[in-house]
Amino acid sequence: MIPQLINREKIYIENIGQYEGKEVKIHGWLYNARHSGKLSFLLLRDGTGVIQCVISLKDVGEEIFARAGQLTQESSFVATGTVRADKRAPGGYELLVKNIEIVHIAKEYPITPKEHGETFLMDHRHLWLRSSRQHAILRVRHAIIKSIRDFFDSRGFTLIDAPVFTPAACEGTSTLFETDYFGEKAYLTQSGQLYMEPAALAFGKVYCFGPTFRAEKSKTRRHLTEFWMVEPEVAYMDLEGDMQLAEEFIEFIVQNVLATRREELQILERDVSKLESVTRPFPRLSYDEAAAMLTTPEAIAFAQEKEAPAFVPGNDLGGADETYITQKFDKPVLVHRYPSAVKAFYMKNDPQQPDRVLCVDVLAPEGYGEIVGGGQREDDLETLEAKINTHQLPMQAFRWYLDVRRYGSVPHAGFGLGVERTVAWICGLHHVRETIPFARLMHRLYP
Amino acid sequence: MIPQLINREKIYIENIGQYEGKEVKIHGWLYNARHSGKLSFLLLRDGTGVIQCVISLKDVGEEIFARAGQLTQESSFVATGTVRADKRAPGGYELLVKNIEIVHIAKEYPITPKEHGETFLMDHRHLWLRSSRQHAILRVRHAIIKSIRDFFDSRGFTLIDAPVFTPAACEGTSTLFETDYFGEKAYLTQSGQLYMEPAALAFGKVYCFGPTFRAEKSKTRRHLTEFWMVEPEVAYMDLEGDMQLAEEFIEFIVQNVLATRREELQILERDVSKLESVTRPFPRLSYDEAAAMLTTPEAIAFAQEKEAPAFVPGNDLGGADETYITQKFDKPVLVHRYPSAVKAFYMKNDPQQPDRVLCVDVLAPEGYGEIVGGGQREDDLETLEAKINTHQLPMQAFRWYLDVRRYGSVPHAGFGLGVERTVAWICGLHHVRETIPFARLMHRLYP
């Protein structure tokens, strides 16, 4: 039986500084222990932080002192004691223990300080979350998500949740997850954009923010099958406004994380100077300027070294191309006005150069790749119908979407930002699998 | 061609009071118009509000005055003029127009002031969002979602997004959507709870908030196939703490909406006195007390009148039973400690009455049914294994979930709150289909 010791008073290590000199009860788990004769030092974690508990045989007596010795890694216990400031202690405070109550002695904990393989750790993801690095990453993730919502909520955007179930497959079904929907076929959404456009004409400024899905048979370190995306859309906005919004947005996220999650970035050994430099304005390159950079001898050698295909002017940028460009700058880079042929049908053509579209991709620094893709949407009914025909898409499936151009069409623009790539960049992680609590990859559906 | 008039200065009707006496440009759509000789009154909506534009032939001249006459319902245009306070005007301000620029003349707009059927309106959901009632509902929805996140974020909870793709089907596959996951079967989540429990032991207090799915062949006004749910989970918390958390949470949401969305509730003709009374403490009934209420002659007559099955002591409560109970109170009602037989395997048995579990349902007032379900979880490994066997569930699929009881088990509790039912209740709506931007129902996958 598990003793029903509970924590309704809610004193957490995160706020322990408020209780200096006072007696508190902390409810948690043993992170690590060190015993030296008549003293025990227990690192107690409670999910919000870690505090060192000092237990002296002389102060607590033999029975309680023996309990401290019984605790195995990740055993749960409640420590009662006095909070004392100590600059040498991790977190700046320690607990002079008066009593220890054991809740549950953990069996042999599978994750030990020794090195484990990634597969083993991912198989134990539900426990791995307790480790300090994973804990720090997911606290940064939360701060990023909160920043995203705060940004739009404080700027008059209305949240319009896009549906997950979508009827028609717009751009081929090969990367879509399919499900039987009461006898019909339904597909899991890849983007809420088509829904955000009519919503922008109803609410002025909107965003959606939810999970999106991609059934790509890809095993790269940048791909998840299930990932979160935020997609703002604004009526009466052009590409220039869209680029300004994306810049302001990314700066806001990064500076917010720096302001609120320094401790976690330190645990992750992140070079914060690389984040501190993420301030507006960001460098901007037209596709043509980017293409010129990518066809220099240096760029060609770079691609060869990475065993990546050489950049072909007129084509989309590859991963190595993005890395090459971003390493030339210490801020995110905006690349705009790609060839119409490599972008989606709904992009608006640039009136100045009709074979280009009014789109923008934002590439994260340090080789983290595209974190934002967006642009101005085609707002003319006939032009859009022609594009749907050119792309050989089923006109009937877009009837409702075309209504946006039938009833009070306006210039409008938006973009999508992928949360997991943003977390990977800000935390400085090698692989996106650590950026989400329970990652879903081609070969990973458990736990 | 759509004129590319854009709105980078960002003056919206919502904030028009800041510009009294000043000249502004408002970008929007025609909501309604009235013409009387040499004066035109245009109701201009911009997604954040509606303002009356007054156009006088004498002031603007014939050309501009004629433009006002050209505008059909939902045509897009930009009005330049001076903001004037006027108590009689809707919103308290009007615009004395100096110029009108037409962006796009809408074709015959399908939604007119006449009555339309629900099917027609749902088929035109992408346009229906522009109507004042739907606009108001989704602004309230946004306020509810923001309140939910603010509540947990400001109380030290960590957001832990639960996965949508889940491997094993825990409680029968009949109400689960299934998809092919690279040759394996995956199911769309019905609840993130099993993931929140290990997360609570890693972070102390956590919540997930995302879409969940139910393939129920149900056509009632309370069921969607895709709906949003928030699920907090707290380590070292018991049923009493869980009930206190749920009460505080619901009060917070309702009082927040009252503080920020009065205007929208007025558009919806909601009796706000019924919301103002939603303050703690809420009435609490044990299952036995609820059962006693439901077996009175009055309650039996009530069920008969509703053509609902009579309540059978020992069984779960039906919709009519919930309605009967809640109409006796002016606040949400907490019903706790149901028979073990009608609740899920993971509920902890009440040590005082072993055939009851430490669960709680919160029933919304005015017949809106269950909005919260939760309770304390079984924390003893052997007891939980025995329950899994009793329920004939596959032990192997729960291996990772059982780890929560192997490594530092603690008392813990949580609940789930359904967003759409909460929106329906707070807005006073008959059917949940209006509570979400693009509803997914058994026969509704479009638009």
Side-chain angles (χ1 to χ4, degrees):
Chain A
M1 289 290 288
I2 307 298
Q4 298 297 298
L5 293 164
I6 56 145
N7 186 15
R8 251 181 249 143
E9 334 65 291
K10 292 186 173 61
I11 296 180
Y12 285 96
I13 295 169
E14 191 166 46
N15 311 315
I16 203 72
Q18 299 168 18
Y19 300 93
E20 194 185 329
K22 294 198 178 130
E23 188 176 301
V24 299
K25 252 184 211 279
I26 302 287
H27 299 63
W29 297 265
L30 186 71
Y31 199 62
N32 215 337
R34 187 160 56 83
H35 305 283
S36 74
K38 294 173 178 179
L39 276 179
S40 278
F41 301 92
L42 307 181
L43 282 182
L44 169 60
R45 65 161 196 90
D46 76 345
T48 72
V50 174
I51 194 165
Q52 177 165 275
C53 299
V54 183
I55 303 142
S56 147
L57 173 60
K58 194 177 65 175
D59 293 348
V60 301
E62 290 204 359
E63 194 194 329
I64 293 172
F65 192 75
R67 284 184 207 157
Q70 268 181 274
L71 296 169
T72 54
Q73 191 189 348
E74 285 302 323
S75 288
S76 45
F77 68 103
V78 180
T80 309
T82 308
V83 180
R84 185 171 69 178
D86 186 331
K87 281 184 186 153
R88 297 159 308 170
Y93 295 92
E94 60 180 22
L95 200 67
L96 298 181
V97 169
K98 203 175 100 179
N99 191 22
I100 282 195
E101 296 159 278
I102 294 174
V103 178
H104 181 235
I105 299 294
K107 314 203 171 179
E108 204 177 334
Y109 193 65
I111 302 177
T112 57
K114 71 163 189 175
E115 283 281 316
H116 295 282
E118 284 287 347
T119 303
F120 178 85
L121 290 169
M122 288 299 283
D123 283 345
H124 292 84
R125 183 64 174 168
H126 52 294
L127 301 175
W128 193 23
L129 296 177
R130 303 183 187 186
S131 303
S132 64
R133 269 186 64 85
Q134 300 308 312
H135 190 270
I137 292 166
L138 293 182
R139 298 254 282 192
V140 172
R141 176 188 169 93
H142 183 191
I144 290 170
I145 290 174
K146 182 167 158 49
S147 301
I148 289 170
R149 294 195 179 261
D150 287 349
F151 180 85
F152 292 116
D153 290 348
S154 64
R155 281 161 180 76
F157 284 69
T158 300
L159 171 71
I160 298 293
D161 295 305
V164 169
F165 290 128
T166 58
C170 298
E171 300 180 63
T173 59
S174 65
T175 62
L176 289 171
F177 288 103
E178 183 186 309
T179 190
D180 172 67
Y181 193 86
F182 306 105
E184 276 183 85
K185 276 183 189 177
Y187 301 92
L188 304 191
T189 184
Q190 287 198 330
S191 158
Q193 183 203 317
L194 299 197
Y195 297 91
M196 290 308 99
E197 293 187 44
L201 273 69
F203 293 85
K205 297 185 278 190
V206 299
Y207 72 103
C208 64
F209 192 5
T212 51
F213 305 89
R214 203 155 293 185
E216 258 177 305
K217 285 191 180 157
S218 170
K219 294 186 218 169
T220 82
R221 61 193 176 83
R222 285 181 184 178
H223 286 93
L224 296 166
T225 58
E226 179 182 331
F227 57 99
W228 283 66
M229 188 150 66
V230 57
E231 293 171 273
E233 189 79 27
V234 181
Y236 287 107
M237 189 168 76
D238 61 1
L239 176 63
E240 175 59 30
D242 205 32
M243 293 203 283
Q244 287 177 15
L245 187 68
E247 278 186 327
E248 192 185 342
F249 179 51
I250 293 168
E251 180 191 73
F252 181 89
I253 295 171
V254 172
Q255 297 306 321
N256 240 323
V257 172
L258 282 170
T260 60
R261 287 290 175 238
R262 283 253 167 197
E263 212 175 296
E264 283 77 8
L265 293 172
Q266 206 176 336
I267 290 169
L268 297 169
E269 298 171 333
R270 181 67 167 115
D271 178 354
V272 292
S273 72
K274 296 213 161 130
L275 299 175
E276 280 160 350
S277 64
V278 178
T279 52
R280 286 176 290 165
F282 298 164
R284 295 182 181 189
L285 300 173
S286 71
Y287 173 86
D288 290 341
E289 288 166 327
M293 279 179 69
L294 290 169
T295 42
T296 59
E298 186 190 273
I300 292 164
F302 181 87
Q304 275 169 345
E305 197 197 314
K306 298 264 172 196
E307 294 176 20
F311 172 73
V312 178
N315 283 7
D316 206 353
L317 273 56
D321 302 328
E322 291 176 354
T323 302
Y324 179 77
I325 288 173
T326 57
Q327 65 169 16
K328 299 285 179 192
F329 302 95
D330 62 351
K331 301 183 185 202
V333 182
L334 281 66
V335 184
H336 54 86
R337 295 181 170 81
Y338 283 61
S340 162
V342 304
K343 289 288 181 186
F345 72 94
Y346 47 71
M347 299 282 190
K348 187 173 175 67
N349 286 80
D350 183 357
Q352 311 300 319
Q353 336 169 60
D355 61 334
R356 302 304 159 95
V357 284
L358 296 170
C359 70
V360 61
D361 284 357
V362 183
L363 311 179
E366 303 169 68
Y368 280 96
E370 183 194 329
I371 50 170
V372 159
Q376 194 173 340
R377 323 304 187 181
E378 183 50 67
D379 45 35
D380 182 72
L381 180 63
E382 285 173 26
T383 311
L384 188 55
E385 282 173 339
K387 286 186 171 215
I388 288 173
N389 282 328
T390 307
H391 282 76
Q392 300 187 296
L393 294 167
M395 191 67 75
Q396 181 57 23
F398 293 99
R399 185 170 53 82
W400 68 283
Y401 179 68
L402 291 166
D403 277 355
V404 176
R405 284 78 182 168
R406 276 192 195 99
Y407 306 110
S409 188
V410 298
H412 60 288
F415 61 79
L417 172 130
V419 167
E420 285 72 22
R421 285 196 188 174
T422 306
V423 175
W425 162 45
I426 291 178
C427 290
L429 306 178
H430 177 69
H431 198 295
V432 289
R433 72 187 146 214
E434 296 181 29
T435 61
I436 188 166
F438 296 92
R440 295 299 181 241
L441 304 153
M442 189 179 162
H443 294 300
R444 166 73 53 197
L445 190 55
Y446 174 95
Chain B
M1 288 291 288
I2 306 299
Q4 299 296 299
L5 293 164
I6 57 146
N7 185 15
R8 253 182 247 143
E9 343 52 301
K10 292 186 171 62
I11 296 180
Y12 285 96
I13 295 169
E14 192 166 46
N15 312 314
I16 203 72
Q18 300 167 19
Y19 300 92
E20 192 184 332
K22 297 202 175 122
E23 187 176 299
V24 299
K25 250 183 212 279
I26 302 287
H27 299 63
W29 297 265
L30 186 71
Y31 199 63
N32 215 337
R34 188 158 57 83
H35 305 281
S36 73
K38 293 174 179 178
L39 275 179
S40 279
F41 301 91
L42 307 180
L43 282 181
L44 169 60
R45 66 161 195 89
D46 75 346
T48 72
V50 174
I51 194 165
Q52 176 164 277
C53 299
V54 183
I55 302 140
S56 147
L57 173 60
K58 194 179 62 176
D59 294 348
V60 300
E62 291 205 357
E63 194 196 329
I64 293 173
F65 192 75
R67 285 185 207 157
Q70 269 182 273
L71 295 168
T72 55
Q73 190 188 347
E74 286 302 323
S75 288
S76 44
F77 68 103
V78 180
T80 308
T82 308
V83 179
R84 184 171 70 177
D86 186 333
K87 282 186 184 151
R88 297 160 308 169
Y93 294 92
E94 60 179 23
L95 199 67
L96 298 182
V97 169
K98 202 175 100 179
N99 190 21
I100 282 194
E101 295 158 279
I102 294 175
V103 179
H104 180 234
I105 298 294
K107 314 204 170 179
E108 204 179 334
Y109 192 64
I111 303 177
T112 57
K114 72 163 188 174
E115 283 280 316
H116 295 283
E118 283 287 345
T119 302
F120 178 85
L121 290 170
M122 288 298 284
D123 284 344
H124 292 84
R125 183 64 175 169
H126 53 294
L127 302 175
W128 194 22
L129 296 177
R130 303 183 187 186
S131 303
S132 64
R133 270 186 63 86
Q134 300 308 312
H135 190 271
I137 292 166
L138 293 183
R139 299 254 281 192
V140 172
R141 176 187 169 93
H142 183 192
I144 289 170
I145 289 174
K146 182 167 158 47
S147 300
I148 289 170
R149 295 195 178 260
D150 287 349
F151 180 85
F152 292 116
D153 290 347
S154 64
R155 281 161 181 76
F157 284 69
T158 300
L159 171 72
I160 298 291
D161 294 306
V164 169
F165 289 129
T166 58
C170 297
E171 302 180 61
T173 58
S174 65
T175 61
L176 288 171
F177 288 103
E178 185 186 307
T179 190
D180 172 66
Y181 193 86
F182 306 105
E184 277 183 85
K185 277 183 187 177
Y187 302 92
L188 304 191
T189 184
Q190 286 198 330
S191 157
Q193 184 203 315
L194 299 198
Y195 297 91
M196 290 307 100
E197 293 188 43
L201 272 69
F203 293 86
K205 298 184 279 190
V206 298
Y207 71 103
C208 63
F209 193 5
T212 52
F213 305 89
R214 203 155 292 185
E216 259 176 306
K217 285 192 179 158
S218 170
K219 294 186 218 168
T220 82
R221 61 193 176 82
R222 286 182 185 177
H223 287 93
L224 296 167
T225 58
E226 179 182 331
F227 56 100
W228 284 67
M229 186 150 67
V230 57
E231 294 173 272
E233 189 78 27
V234 181
Y236 286 108
M237 189 168 77
D238 62 1
L239 176 63
E240 175 58 31
D242 205 34
M243 292 203 284
Q244 287 177 14
L245 186 70
E247 279 185 328
E248 192 185 342
F249 178 52
I250 293 167
E251 180 191 74
F252 181 88
I253 295 171
V254 172
Q255 296 307 320
N256 240 324
V257 172
L258 282 171
T260 60
R261 288 290 175 236
R262 285 255 165 195
E263 210 175 297
E264 283 77 8
L265 293 172
Q266 206 176 337
I267 290 169
L268 297 169
E269 296 171 334
R270 181 66 167 116
D271 178 354
V272 291
S273 72
K274 295 215 162 129
L275 299 175
E276 280 161 349
S277 65
V278 178
T279 53
R280 286 176 291 165
F282 298 164
R284 294 182 182 189
L285 300 173
S286 70
Y287 173 87
D288 290 342
E289 288 167 328
M293 279 179 68
L294 291 169
T295 43
T296 59
E298 186 190 275
I300 291 164
F302 181 87
Q304 274 169 347
E305 197 197 313
K306 299 265 172 195
E307 295 177 17
F311 171 72
V312 178
N315 283 8
D316 205 352
L317 273 55
D321 303 327
E322 292 175 353
T323 302
Y324 179 76
I325 289 173
T326 57
Q327 67 169 15
K328 298 286 179 190
F329 303 94
D330 62 351
K331 300 182 185 202
V333 183
L334 280 66
V335 184
H336 54 86
R337 295 181 170 81
Y338 282 60
S340 162
V342 304
K343 287 291 180 185
F345 72 94
Y346 46 71
M347 299 280 191
K348 188 174 175 64
N349 287 81
D350 184 357
Q352 312 299 319
Q353 334 169 61
D355 61 333
R356 303 303 160 93
V357 284
L358 296 170
C359 70
V360 61
D361 283 357
V362 182
L363 312 179
E366 303 169 67
Y368 280 96
E370 182 193 330
I371 50 169
V372 159
Q376 194 172 339
R377 321 305 186 182
E378 183 50 68
D379 46 34
D380 182 72
L381 180 63
E382 285 173 27
T383 311
L384 188 56
E385 283 174 338
K387 286 185 171 215
I388 288 172
N389 281 328
T390 307
H391 282 75
Q392 300 186 298
L393 296 167
M395 190 68 73
Q396 182 55 24
F398 292 100
R399 184 168 56 81
W400 68 283
Y401 179 68
L402 291 166
D403 277 354
V404 176
R405 283 78 181 167
R406 277 192 193 100
Y407 306 110
S409 188
V410 297
H412 60 287
F415 60 79
L417 172 129
V419 167
E420 284 72 21
R421 283 196 189 175
T422 305
V423 175
W425 163 44
I426 291 178
C427 290
L429 306 177
H430 178 67
H431 198 296
V432 288
R433 72 187 146 213
E434 294 180 31
T435 62
I436 187 164
F438 296 92
R440 295 299 180 243
L441 304 152
M442 190 179 161
H443 294 300
R444 165 74 53 197
L445 188 56
Y446 174 96

